[in-house]
Amino acid sequence: MSFTPSSVYLVVMGVAGCGKSSLGAALAQAEGLPLIEGDDHHSPASREKMRQGIALTDADREGWLSTLGQLLQARPQGVVLTCSALKKMYRDRLRDACPGLRFVFLEIDRPHAGQRVAARAGTHFFSSALVDSQFATLESPLGEAGVLRLDALLDLTTLQQQASAWLAMKETA
């Protein structure tokens, strides 16, 4: 697989409720890229665990990360992927699959994440009981190469504009 150096490969990451799906869709539209919604690729067993409020293990995420890596590789023109990517080893797996992969980290505090997840109850499989486990699992990507931190509490237009400006700056660097 050869990646076009000018193509954008981006993961919008963070804990549940940070706004990955909303920003991912906005960025994909703004950048003219396809969107891969990471949640769509969890196994039925993993979805059921999360629905029941049972946190996924590294083993549960193994096949999911492999699938996401394959999906990244299948998009030579670039892509925006939404994925929690909570641990460095998960991000490294995705980086191994897609050299040059960059991450937008939507940082949010526990109370706001909990409110957002609770507000989507009934429309999303993720149980609000799992928000604490997301924060316990999160290994901040700050300090890793190719990572932009954004305040998840900013409005969507501002987030998209900041991320697009960062992408444009990286392309000309």
Side-chain angles (χ1 to χ4, degrees):
M1 166 92 226
S2 68
F3 295 92
T4 308
S6 62
S7 296
V8 172
Y9 296 91
L10 183 69
V11 175
V12 180
M13 64 156 293
V15 298
C18 70
K20 294 181 292 291
S21 295
S22 297
L23 181 57
L27 276 169
Q29 182 176 8
E31 301 297 324
L33 293 169
L35 174 67
I36 299 170
E37 177 62 58
D39 281 347
D40 291 346
H41 300 281
H42 280 294
S43 70
S46 290
R47 285 173 166 261
E48 186 55 31
K49 281 181 86 170
M50 289 185 280
R51 188 175 287 110
Q52 293 177 17
I54 302 168
L56 298 183
T57 64
D58 291 346
D60 292 326
R61 289 184 177 100
E62 180 68 28
W64 179 63
L65 290 167
S66 292
T67 297
L68 296 180
Q70 292 166 2
L71 290 168
L72 289 169
Q73 291 174 343
R75 302 290 185 156
Q77 77 283 13
V79 67
V80 176
L81 166 67
T82 62
C83 172
S84 55
L86 297 174
K87 289 186 176 182
K88 185 177 186 309
M89 68 185 229
Y90 304 161
R91 295 187 293 276
D92 287 347
R93 283 273 310 273
L94 296 173
R95 287 178 177 117
D96 287 346
C98 183
L101 186 63
R102 291 181 266 172
F103 292 81
V104 171
F105 172 43
L106 286 172
E107 193 169 49
I108 192 168
D109 61 28
R110 167 63 185 91
H112 284 100
Q115 289 170 0
R116 289 180 174 188
V117 171
R120 68 181 191 199
T123 63
H124 194 278
F125 62 85
F126 194 86
S127 169
S128 60
L130 292 173
V131 173
D132 286 337
S133 75
Q134 292 261 297
F135 279 91
T137 303
L138 178 64
E139 296 171 0
S140 174
L142 298 181
E144 295 174 18
V147 174
L148 172 67
R149 178 220 165 264
L150 293 177
D151 180 346
L153 299 182
L154 295 173
D155 66 272
L156 183 58
T157 300
T158 300
L159 290 169
Q160 179 270 308
Q161 290 171 346
Q162 289 179 351
S164 289
W166 177 70
L167 291 171
M169 195 172 60
K170 289 284 195 175
E171 288 175 8
T172 61

